[in-house]
Amino acid sequence: MSSRERSSSTLWSFAGWVASATRAAWLLVRLVFGRFWSIMASPEKNVLNIGTGSDEDTSSKHRPAEVVASDMQRFMLRLKGSFMQEDGRGVDYGAMKDSSDFAEFKTKCKELRGVDIASLDDDNKMAFFLNLYNALTIHGLASLDSLPSSVLEVQNFWSLTCYDIGGNVYSLDDIEHGILRGNRPHPTTKQALFAGEDPRLAHVMDNVDPRIHFALVCGAKSCPPINVYSANNLNFGLTAAARNFCEGEIRVEDGKVSMSKIFLWYGNDFGKTDAEKLRWCMQFLPETAVSRVEALLEKSSPDSDKLDFLTYHDYNWAINGKSLKGKL
């Protein structure tokens, strides 16, 4: 090989090396910046029971789940007695935010990080997550710099407001749709929240109890009243909540039935058709309303999925409290 040929070969080898190095560098840039923009584009979870310094010591107290759940029940009862209306429909977020009770409650929430959910039976697990959902809603709203007129004004409130529970992060949506609704699709996205090898799948409820919808409080005035549940009072409490909600939110008059939009958004939790949905609700209605609904159902087509006489009234999304400086 001549010197000119050797020089040409060396030049081509060097050019190939430069091209390979350039491609590798470009791939690295895409990887780094791709991940950076992915992180920047993803809304940040607001995990409310993570602290720093001495606060972290509370996570080392791996107390039995039943004990932590019982403590959470007691704290919710204390907060309800001091800062909520007697009927459970309003919260004085301002007075609660600056109270020693709420400060103690926030410290207690850090113990949730060491809880072993797997040790809870179904009734204890349901009561645990019902109480946590309502606690997380109150905690999230009270932690805002200023209270909005509607919870809808807080961007992604239900998907970003979270607790670390047993080492996994759960948002309000995760608790409601992933755990309590047995990982059924979210009514807006039509997708399940847990998929693949998500460790939270191990804790979803096998049997979905539609009465949970009358126990979960999202922060709006049309939500059910806030109550506190335990395994011992779970069935009684959920039945009472269902009866209270159905009697107040199902109106039968002038040949029409008007229902809360909860029955529209989560319709399949109550029945596959409008008729099935109404028949499920009838067990919680007074006799006069039941007889009127039965009469309307008898006149309707048995093969119809939709009922012409059934409508849904507007949902009041106004916040279930006053401004942080106000009083109920």
Side-chain angles (χ1 to χ4, degrees), residues 214-236:
F214 315 127
L216 297 173
V217 182
C218 69
K221 285 188 179 296
S222 279
C223 289
I226 298 171
N227 287 304
V228 181
Y229 299 90
S230 69
N232 292 333
N233 76 1
L234 185 62
N235 186 58
F236 176 84

Side-chain angles (χ1 to χ4, degrees), residues 126 129-130 132-134 136-137 158-159 161 165 170-187 193-194 203-205 208-210 212-219 223-224 262 265-266 269-270 315 317:
M126 182 181 289
F129 276 108
L130 287 173
L132 277 191
Y133 183 96
N134 294 338
L136 181 54
T137 297
W158 296 289
S159 61
T161 305
I165 307 170
Y170 293 80
S171 68
L172 288 164
D173 276 345
D174 293 332
I175 293 174
E176 178 178 6
H177 309 294
I179 300 296
L180 294 171
R181 294 186 63 236
N183 206 35
R184 292 183 180 181
H186 191 288
L193 275 78
F194 306 152
H203 308 303
V204 303
M205 299 300 301
V208 178
D209 189 332
I212 63 170
H213 293 294
F214 315 127
L216 297 173
V217 182
C218 69
C223 289
I262 284 179
W265 300 325
Y266 304 105
D269 289 0
F270 301 99
Y315 202 81
W317 287 105

